[in-house]
Amino acid sequence: MPHSDKVDMLFIYWECQKNSRLAAQTYAQRYPDREHPVHSFFYNLERNLRTYGSFSKRVNNLQQRRGDALGEEVEENLLAYVRANPRSSTRHVGRELGISHTTVCKVLKKYKMHPYRPDLIQHLRQGDAPRRLAFVAWLMTSLDENPLILNSILWTDESKFTNNGVINKQNNRYWDDQNPHWTFETNNQTIWGTNVWCGLIGGKFLGPFFYDGTLNGRRYYNFLLNELPMMLDDIPLALRGNIIFQHDGAPAHNAHIVRDYLNAQFQNRWLGTYGPIEWPPRSPDLTPLDFFLWGHLKTIVYADPPINLQNLKDKITATCNRLTDEQITAATNKEFMRRAEACFVHGGEQFEQFIR
């Protein structure tokens, strides 16, 4: 593009009070036979002129010479510093070693260094690992006796959904050639929400069941007595008679009235803190609803923040209804077994950081 055209662009940009979009429109109308760049070109044109004294960005000669002079010693010093301080940012490394941020990135890329993010894993207490191993041992023995036993386990859990749910910024993008200053509103002064119970069994989804307030033993017992049987009506009769009920160690789950009901209803076929089959405490990494369902639901539900409680419930229900049998089976069979095996390999300790 001729410099004379760029000069005309600058004059129009200033004429339009540095409104790049208006400048682009005006330039196109005034010079219809010329090349018409995007509106951000006008802004960058002036910025380059003020910063570098020319219409295009120039590389500082001193920086160029320093970059060309980089040798093995500089690279070795950089790599040694990074290995000694692996949590340092590339900009910090550059400042400490007196080289540019870009050079640091190039050297790290050359040696295939990668910035790994931390994994959040469940805290375990002393004595938890043997209990997790005991559960995996029961599972492996049961699979030998019945290879299809995973299809008989009814995985259950509850979760809290509020109007200020976690918005995953990594999964939300707005593409434009200028920052649109895109926002999500939160309201920490007014918080409302609902509690949700869901279940997964044999590729089938149960729920969602909504309840307000704190879940206590009596409320949970009433749910098991009155609501769960209706949900199980859609489960084949042959499977219904062999269900292995699972829930975690939440206080409401451990109430005597609940345990008595489960002993009567499922006899020796339920998993819990005090169940005939012990469910290991602090093990959301082994629960399909924790490692699959809740994250999946919240990512979709909070993609567009709910406007009221009913809208929140509708979004949860709609997302649940879109789950496929294949998704559920993959979580309760293939992914669960992958995690159970990893738990065994790592002696019952945390393992998620090794399988992601």
Side-chain angles (χ1 to χ4, degrees):
M1 181 184 296
H3 284 331
S4 58
D5 290 3
K6 295 179 181 179
V7 171
D8 291 335
M9 289 181 187
L10 275 177
F11 279 118
I12 290 177
Y13 181 61
W14 292 327
E15 176 187 322
C16 295
Q17 304 296 317
K18 298 186 179 182
N19 184 326
S20 60
R21 294 182 186 274
L22 179 59
Q25 295 173 3
T26 304
Y27 182 80
Q29 294 170 358
R30 195 170 297 177
Y31 302 104
D33 298 328
R34 293 183 181 179
E35 180 183 352
H36 302 140
V38 296
H39 67 87
S40 59
F41 186 84
F42 291 76
Y43 166 79
N44 291 329
L45 200 62
E46 190 205 40
R47 183 191 61 181
N48 290 340
L49 189 62
R50 292 183 182 277
T51 304
Y52 307 108
S54 68
F55 289 132
S56 60
K57 183 177 179 180
R58 296 189 305 177
V59 178
N60 183 283
N61 290 333
L62 177 60
Q63 289 182 342
Q64 183 66 51
R65 288 197 300 272
R66 289 180 65 184
D68 294 340
L70 274 177
E72 292 184 2
E73 183 179 356
V74 174
E75 292 185 354
E76 289 174 359
N77 290 340
L78 190 156
L79 292 173
Y81 184 89
V82 170
R83 293 193 183 281
N85 305 275
R87 296 173 64 179
S88 298
S89 70
T90 51
R91 295 188 185 278
H92 175 79
V93 173
R95 287 194 298 268
E96 289 295 308
L97 300 181
I99 57 180
S100 71
H101 166 253
T102 303
T103 300
V104 174
C105 293
K106 287 181 178 179
V107 173
L108 294 178
K109 182 178 180 180
K110 175 182 176 181
Y111 288 92
K112 303 186 185 304
M113 302 286 281
H114 183 78
Y116 294 97
R117 294 189 179 95
D119 285 312
L120 300 179
I121 58 176
Q122 174 65 40
H123 165 71
L124 295 180
R125 296 179 183 175
Q126 186 176 4
D128 284 349
R131 299 168 77 177
R132 286 156 62 88
L133 284 176
F135 166 72
V136 174
W138 168 84
L139 175 68
M140 298 305 178
T141 302
S142 300
L143 282 169
D144 287 339
E145 298 172 356
N146 178 11
L148 300 178
I149 194 171
L150 291 180
N151 293 328
S152 300
I153 299 178
L154 171 54
W155 304 96
T156 74
D157 198 17
E158 302 87 21
S159 185
K160 177 80 172 181
F161 286 72
T162 70
N163 58 314
N164 281 343
V166 177
I167 296 171
N168 189 342
K169 293 172 65 176
Q170 295 296 325
N171 290 343
N172 287 278
R173 292 291 184 270
Y174 189 112
W175 291 92
D176 201 351
D177 53 3
Q178 285 193 347
N179 186 353
H181 303 291
W182 188 32
T183 62
F184 280 110
E185 285 190 356
T186 60
N187 188 348
N188 293 317
Q189 283 70 42
T190 304
I191 297 179
W192 43 262
T194 185
N195 297 293
V196 186
W197 178 96
C198 293
L200 304 174
I201 179 172
K204 302 298 181 183
F205 180 85
L206 302 185
F209 176 77
F210 300 99
Y211 63 92
D212 299 321
T214 303
L215 182 66
N216 55 37
R218 173 60 64 176
R219 174 174 286 177
Y220 187 54
Y221 166 74
N222 288 334
F223 163 77
L224 295 175
L225 182 65
N226 301 314
E227 304 295 338
L228 183 59
M230 291 188 292
M231 296 182 185
L232 293 175
D233 283 344
D234 294 332
I235 303 300
L237 187 60
L239 175 58
R240 210 182 314 166
N242 295 296
I243 286 177
I244 300 173
F245 182 87
Q246 181 275 339
H247 63 191
D248 61 21
H253 299 172
N254 295 331
H256 285 288
I257 190 174
V258 171
R259 288 151 54 186
D260 291 343
Y261 174 81
L262 293 176
N263 283 328
Q265 188 70 20
F266 296 100
Q267 299 179 2
N268 294 322
R269 304 188 320 278
W270 66 277
L271 289 136
T273 303
Y274 300 105
I277 309 166
E278 183 186 11
W279 177 255
R282 289 167 288 279
S283 296
D285 50 359
L286 293 172
T287 312
L289 287 96
D290 279 304
F291 66 69
F292 160 66
L293 182 66
W294 300 133
H296 174 78
L297 291 185
K298 291 181 179 181
T299 296
I300 297 175
V301 167
Y302 293 128
D304 291 311
I307 57 176
N308 54 46
L309 182 57
Q310 188 56 51
N311 178 243
L312 173 61
K313 292 181 178 180
D314 290 343
K315 288 163 72 73
I316 293 171
T317 302
T319 306
C320 290
N321 290 339
R322 287 195 294 269
L323 288 170
T324 65
D325 293 354
E326 290 75 17
Q327 286 177 296
I328 297 170
T329 301
T332 57
N333 283 261
K334 183 178 179 180
E335 179 60 19
F336 170 73
M337 282 305 304
R338 187 171 78 103
R339 288 168 173 267
E341 290 167 359
C343 181
F344 176 77
V345 168
H346 293 281
E349 301 289 347
Q350 295 103 330
F351 59 82
E352 286 186 297
Q353 66 271 34
F354 301 111
I355 64 173
R356 287 174 177 162

